[in-house]
Amino acid sequence: MQAVSLKNKLGCWAHERWRTEFVLRMPGLARLCRFTWSDLRNRNEKIGRGVDGARICKWTDSSVLTVTRFFPEVGGRLINHCLDEWPVKLSKEFYHEGHQKDPEISVILPVCGKDRIPLFRCVLYSFFGQTCRNLDIIVVENGTEPLYKAFCPTGVKYIFLPMGKNREFNKCKAMNEGVRKARAPYVLLHDADIVIPCSYVESIIKRLKKGWDAVRPIRFAFNLNSYESKEFMNFTGQHLPGTVESVLQNFPGLSTAVTKLAFKRIGGCDEQFEGWGGEDLEFLDRLKVTKLFPGSYAPGVHLWHAPAPKKESGDRNLDLLLSILKIPVTERINMLQRCLDN
């Protein structure tokens, strides 16, 4: 962590930390004041109130909480507070009744790379521990060889999409294929490095059944470092981090639930994107034409992994993204609908 000056710390106390301490030290009184962990933000940011306890970030880009960046031990207390309200349950056994003949929701997990298998397994266990058990879990691997199949137990559908020569991981292609094979009316497009609370899927279904086309639940993504990630996974989720420096908010991707009809209506995911970055922003731009649930409300735990090559070099498909966003949304949707149908 970069050294933080006394001036920075005092400024943070004046603007952010006192609010955080209010929530952490006096949660009951904070709730009476209609102020909870989901209301925490940085000084120049504004939060709106959605329905069902959601909060709406009224700024464009994603950001990291200053209070945890300056005081990582506060980040540790914050994740403990959030996961006390939204507990994580990791189970190594998948409860599946008759292989879910009529699942309520299909979970799509796009995967790639041997180094991320331990993270994937932890995420999978968090889905096995959901209070909603009527799940259709689909793992889609886009790679040079099928590495993940051995880690998908009975009841989990595995799809292998061979990666062409000199090609990169195509997350969008994997998600489109997963949705094609999905049997439920709802689909959850979920990154395979995000561990979720045990009532996460239940909360999504509750909102989709009220008539929303899509839900983006994650209010805070707690980015664990290498050590805390290993501890979290080794202790089956019972070890909660003592420090968290990076708490991300208003991120475009990570986990998005959408009705299968709405997914098809906006043309699915744009397979022009390869590697990492850009595809989530483009998808969200089209998703906004649907009846998108206003705001987010749940925590997620992002497990550490080495950065993808393009992220490390700073090349995140930015030029491609900017050129695509110049095309009107309706025109993009029409083009992608034709691609999806082929």
Side-chain angles (χ1 to χ4, degrees):
M1 176 183 170
Q2 189 176 1
V4 179
S5 69
L6 178 60
K7 181 181 178 181
N8 290 147
K9 290 185 176 181
L10 290 175
C12 185
W13 263 105
H15 294 281
E16 289 99 2
R17 184 161 178 180
W18 73 267
R19 292 184 175 86
T20 309
E21 294 295 342
F22 180 42
V23 168
L24 297 180
R25 293 177 184 270
M26 295 176 281
L29 179 59
R31 281 193 293 271
L32 286 175
C33 297
R34 299 185 67 220
F35 192 81
T36 69
W37 64 268
S38 59
D39 292 295
L40 298 176
R41 54 174 176 78
N42 296 325
R43 65 190 72 177
N44 296 321
E45 298 168 346
K46 293 184 178 180
I47 292 286
R49 291 178 180 269
V51 296
D52 291 340
R55 297 295 184 269
I56 303 168
C57 296
K58 295 190 172 182
W59 63 94
T60 304
D61 299 325
S62 59
S63 62
V64 176
L65 285 180
T66 300
V67 69
T68 61
R69 187 161 54 89
F70 288 178
F71 302 99
E73 70 280 5
V74 174
R77 291 165 55 210
L78 181 58
I79 190 175
N80 278 264
H81 176 84
C82 290
L83 295 190
D84 183 56
E85 180 181 327
W86 287 82
V88 170
K89 180 183 177 182
L90 302 183
S91 174
K92 294 185 178 180
E93 295 184 3
F94 183 32
Y95 179 88
H96 53 99
E97 294 178 338
H99 300 280
Q100 274 67 40
K101 292 181 180 179
D102 297 300
E104 289 189 274
I105 190 168
S106 294
V107 178
I108 316 298
L109 297 173
V111 295
C112 177
K114 185 177 181 180
D115 60 317
R116 300 199 184 186
I117 289 176
L119 284 63
F120 157 76
R121 295 181 71 186
C122 188
V123 171
L124 195 61
Y125 294 160
S126 73
F127 277 104
F128 291 174
Q130 290 296 296
T131 53
C132 172
R133 295 182 171 186
N134 196 11
L135 304 178
D136 174 32
I137 300 179
I138 303 172
V139 176
V140 188
E141 181 175 7
N142 179 218
T144 56
E145 56 180 315
L147 301 173
Y148 284 74
K149 185 175 183 179
F151 303 99
C152 296
T154 302
V156 173
K157 185 175 182 62
Y158 172 82
I159 300 171
F160 178 66
L161 292 178
M163 185 185 296
K165 187 177 181 181
N166 298 323
R167 309 299 296 192
E168 296 183 73
F169 174 60
N170 194 318
K171 177 181 170 183
C172 291
K173 185 176 181 180
M175 290 194 292
N176 284 340
E177 185 62 23
V179 174
R180 286 189 189 99
K181 297 297 192 294
R183 294 179 290 118
Y186 310 137
V187 292
L188 174 59
L189 312 174
H190 191 85
D191 286 2
D193 54 9
I194 301 291
V195 175
I196 54 170
C198 60
S199 59
Y200 187 81
V201 172
E202 182 179 353
S203 75
I204 290 170
I205 293 174
K206 173 185 173 183
R207 286 160 174 82
L208 290 176
K209 283 186 174 180
K210 289 183 177 180
W212 299 102
D213 287 326
V215 182
R216 299 170 60 238
I218 296 181
R219 172 71 183 93
F220 287 154
F222 291 89
N223 294 329
L224 305 191
N225 60 30
S226 177
Y227 171 77
E228 293 291 4
S229 289
K230 288 178 182 177
E231 291 294 298
F232 188 90
M233 292 187 287
N234 288 342
F235 287 86
T236 61
Q238 300 306 308
H239 170 88
L240 294 181
T243 61
V244 180
E245 179 181 344
S246 174
V247 180
L248 194 65
Q249 49 179 348
N250 203 31
F251 197 78
L254 302 180
S255 184
T256 301
V258 59
T259 69
K260 196 171 179 181
L261 288 175
F263 182 86
K264 292 180 178 179
R265 195 164 66 241
I266 64 170
C269 298
D270 191 338
E271 296 181 15
Q272 292 181 82
F273 291 93
E274 290 188 21
W276 304 88
E279 74 285 340
D280 292 330
L281 278 166
E282 195 284 326
F283 181 76
L284 177 58
D285 190 53
R286 285 181 288 115
L287 191 66
K288 289 176 181 177
V289 307
T290 70
K291 191 178 178 184
L292 176 61
F293 181 80
S296 52
Y297 54 86
V301 181
H302 181 252
L303 301 174
W304 182 90
H305 53 76
K310 281 197 171 186
K311 284 189 177 180
E312 199 167 40
S313 68
D315 176 9
R316 298 194 59 193
N317 293 323
L318 181 59
D319 290 341
L320 174 61
L321 173 64
L322 293 177
S323 65
I324 289 176
L325 291 180
K326 290 179 182 178
I327 304 171
V329 172
T330 53
E331 189 176 333
R332 272 184 277 143
I333 288 175
N334 289 335
M335 290 189 295
L336 289 170
Q337 282 177 336
R338 291 193 293 269
C339 294
L340 200 64
D341 291 336
N342 292 334

